[in-house]
């Protein structure tokens, strides 16, 4: 995953307990060390990906569950001069994905093609999803 070129996205199939167990015997490590290692891997992967795309980036806006993790936020601040929550811009950290999906649905219902080629690797702009009406 780390050697893949952008755009790329990871999901639960990329990094799972099975993946970790294929690399090492988890029982030989204390749980706190395993969690700390995962947190640092997460921070490193976020910082590295951002710097690959925007080398001069100095500010990161965080949303999602990570926004509730003060250790993650502190660790991110080692890589960026400013780490803020999306709430500072008026967007709940807990509902960002839901708001995004609602916006995607609105665009689809309006038959507006989205140009996500640089994000998803799609070949052309397209309408996302399907509509099933009674």
């Amino acid at each position: 995953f780390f050697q893949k070129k952008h755009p790329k996205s990871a999901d639960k199939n990329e990094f799972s307990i099975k993946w970790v167990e294929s690399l090492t015997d988890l029982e030989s490590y204390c749980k706190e060390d395993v969690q700390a290692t995962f947190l640092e891997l997460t921070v490193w992967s976020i910082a590295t990906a951002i710097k690959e795309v925007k080398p001069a980036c100095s500010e990161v806006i965080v949303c999602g569950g990570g926004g509730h993790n003060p250790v993650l936020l502190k660790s991110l601040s080692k890589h960026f001069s400013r780490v803020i929550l999306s709430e500072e811009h008026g967007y709940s950290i807990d509902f960002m994905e839901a708001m995004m999906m609602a916006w995607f649905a609105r665009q689809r219902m309006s038959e507006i093609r989205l140009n996500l080629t640089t994000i998803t690797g799609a070949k052309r702009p397209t309408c996302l999803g399907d509509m099933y009406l009674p």
Side-chain angles (χ1 to χ4, degrees), residues 14 36 98 109 112 117 125:
E14 294 282 348
M109 292 179 75
I112 297 172
T117 55

Side-chain angles (χ1 to χ4, degrees), residues 2-126:
F2 297 112
Q3 280 75 40
K4 286 183 182 177
K5 293 186 180 201
H6 296 284
K8 61 184 177 180
S9 178
D11 65 16
K12 65 182 180 181
N13 296 318
E14 294 282 348
F15 303 101
S16 66
I17 194 68
K18 286 182 182 180
W19 172 73
V20 174
E21 289 171 341
S22 76
L23 300 173
T24 190
D25 175 23
L26 280 179
E27 298 301 319
S28 63
Y29 298 94
C30 76
K31 292 177 183 177
E32 293 82 3
D33 287 345
V34 172
Q35 289 299 315
T37 301
F38 285 150
L39 183 127
E40 288 303 322
L41 174 63
T42 300
V43 169
W44 175 85
S45 65
I46 291 168
T48 300
I50 291 171
K51 297 291 184 177
E52 284 175 3
V53 176
K54 297 283 185 187
C57 180
S58 62
E59 178 178 281
V60 174
I61 302 170
V62 177
C63 63
H68 294 288
N69 187 330
V71 179
L72 182 130
L73 297 173
K74 183 177 180 180
S75 191
L76 272 174
S77 69
K78 296 174 189 172
H79 298 272
F80 302 97
S81 59
R82 187 164 146 85
V83 177
I84 62 172
L85 299 178
S86 60
E87 291 176 343
E88 289 190 34
H89 291 279
Y91 300 100
S92 168
I93 62 172
D94 295 316
F95 302 115
M96 185 65 74
E97 187 174 8
M99 290 187 296
M100 178 185 69
M101 291 300 150
W103 184 81
F104 282 158
R106 178 185 169 275
Q107 300 306 91
R108 176 62 181 100
M109 292 179 75
S110 300
E111 297 184 8
I112 297 172
R113 294 179 187 274
L114 299 175
N115 186 2
L116 301 177
T117 55
T118 59
I119 298 170
T120 65
K123 294 183 181 7
R124 63 186 180 288
T126 189

